[in-house]
Amino acid sequence: MKKTPYRSILILLLPISLTISCGESPAVGAATPEGNAIQKASVIPAKPSASKSLTPEFKEYWYGGVAELNSYELQQARYGELRKGEAVLIFVTEPFNTDKQVKADRKNPGTTSVMKLNRVRKFLTGVYPYSIMSSIFYPVSGDSHALKITTSVQEWCGHVFAQLNNRETFEIQSHSYFESEADQAFSIEKDVLEDELWTLIRTHPDALPEGQLPIVPSLEYLRLKHREIKAYNAEVSLTREAGSRQLTIRYPELDRSLSIQFQDGSPYRIEGWSESYPSGRGAITSTARLNKTILSPYWQKNGNSDLSLRDSLGLEMR
């Protein structure tokens, strides 16, 4: 299989906060891509000076003062069963302070423009709810790894928080209510981050990697399955069929696969995804399918009169 020098795709370190289940033991599963293989295009350059240009179409869509809100019908695997739930992907561009690695109060010469993804999943496991959220900050220039990733998981047994910062190495802090994980601070080498690929799809989809390469899996997955936060060998493929593309990542060691379907054209909206790994007594596949999309300055829509926007997105869980 062709190898792609994806290490040259700089992706900044991500802060991640994660919550783990009351007691599911680590396990994983797999999936299969369909369609015709896409020929690999250029990869994100290693040097900031080689950053990719943004098209007028991109600027018009992403710099209009609104965010893209996408709701999904979710079937989430947990404890060997599928749970009906909701997922929301919120994409928005904003200035990012690269020194403090936080959203900047205002744009200035010391900030960089990022595509921020807030990825939210909510579902019930019997009497108690799960709420999972990741925030991914990726430079729209495409000249670096994700700058930061955070993930948090909350449920009635407790919660976990993890953060990854892109500095000299990927610096990671992880906090868990499990004794075996507890509070940790360590560094790992800069390999491709699965979480950053969700934003690469929206910014530079032709730079997505293919072939065999080490990838750090989603922090959500690693915490939920109590796996070590590190890069695992992965097989990546791209297919195209009927106006859509599909990115598929397989991790043989984890017996896990993730497939993300997205539009084969600007703005490359994510249409859904599937994730397969062992859960309970066997492999089971979680799926999400796009329900509604709206563009809105949602941060201004915080009054009781704005609750109708949730109906516009088809969201039921409060």
Side-chain angles (χ1 to χ4, degrees), residues 182-202:
D183 300 322
Q184 303 179 47
F186 57 95
S187 297
I188 61 175
E189 294 184 4
K190 292 186 180 182
D191 288 300
V192 174
L193 299 161
E194 177 187 307
D195 284 324
E196 69 191 354
L197 297 180
W198 293 72
T199 48
L200 184 60
I201 285 172
R202 306 307 306 272

Side-chain angles (χ1 to χ4, degrees), residues 236-302:
V236 185
S237 61
L238 283 162
T239 57
R240 177 183 280 126
E241 186 175 349
S244 293
R245 301 190 203 183
Q246 179 169 281
L247 171 70
T248 298
I249 309 169
R250 293 189 184 85
Y251 299 90
E253 180 181 351
L254 300 174
D255 194 19
R256 171 179 178 256
S257 69
L258 171 70
S259 293
I260 306 172
Q261 299 81 38
F262 59 99
Q263 293 177 332
D264 187 16
S266 182
Y268 305 103
R269 185 171 296 122
I270 292 176
E271 299 171 328
W273 64 88
S274 60
E275 181 184 17
S276 179
Y277 53 77
S279 178
R281 296 183 178 179
I284 193 167
T285 301
S286 302
T287 60
R289 293 291 176 265
L290 182 63
N291 184 17
K292 303 284 187 179
T293 297
I294 64 174
L295 299 177
S296 172
Y298 69 91
W299 52 91
Q300 300 173 0
K301 307 295 182 179
N302 50 28

Side-chain angles (χ1 to χ4, degrees), residues 100-247:
K100 296 181 178 179
Q101 294 206 333
V102 294
K103 176 182 176 181
D105 292 335
R106 60 190 62 83
K107 184 178 179 180
N108 61 61
T111 63
T112 189
S113 180
V114 298
M115 175 70 71
K116 181 177 73 174
L117 165 60
N118 283 336
R119 185 177 62 214
V120 180
R121 287 184 288 166
K122 292 179 180 288
F123 55 94
L124 301 176
T125 52
V127 69
Y128 64 94
Y130 264 79
S131 179
I132 304 172
M133 179 174 176
S134 291
S135 293
I136 299 146
F137 302 84
Y138 184 81
V140 298
S141 60
D143 62 3
S144 170
H145 282 292
L147 302 173
K148 178 180 179 179
I149 297 174
T150 59
T151 298
S152 61
V153 184
Q154 302 86 37
E155 37 91 6
W156 284 6
C157 294
H159 67 96
V160 175
F161 172 86
Q163 176 169 305
L164 181 154
N165 293 90
N166 185 347
R167 296 194 174 96
E168 291 298 319
T169 59
F170 285 161
E171 297 179 2
I172 295 172
Q173 296 183 49
S174 180
H175 304 278
S176 170
Y177 66 87
F178 281 91
E179 179 183 1
S180 60
E181 294 164 342
D183 300 322
Q184 303 179 47
F186 57 95
S187 297
I188 61 175
E189 294 184 4
K190 292 186 180 182
D191 288 300
V192 174
L193 299 161
E194 177 187 307
D195 284 324
E196 69 191 354
L197 297 180
W198 293 72
T199 48
L200 184 60
I201 285 172
R202 306 307 306 272
T203 55
H204 303 290
D206 292 332
L208 288 164
E210 287 185 86
Q212 298 179 345
L213 63 153
I215 297 180
V216 179
S218 160
L219 290 174
E220 296 175 8
Y221 163 79
L222 292 172
R223 293 300 80 197
L224 286 169
K225 301 302 293 183
H226 311 285
R227 304 300 297 242
E228 182 181 356
I229 300 176
K230 67 175 187 176
Y232 294 81
N233 291 330
E235 302 168 356
V236 185
S237 61
L238 283 162
T239 57
R240 177 183 280 126
E241 186 175 349
S244 293
R245 301 190 203 183
Q246 179 169 281
L247 171 70

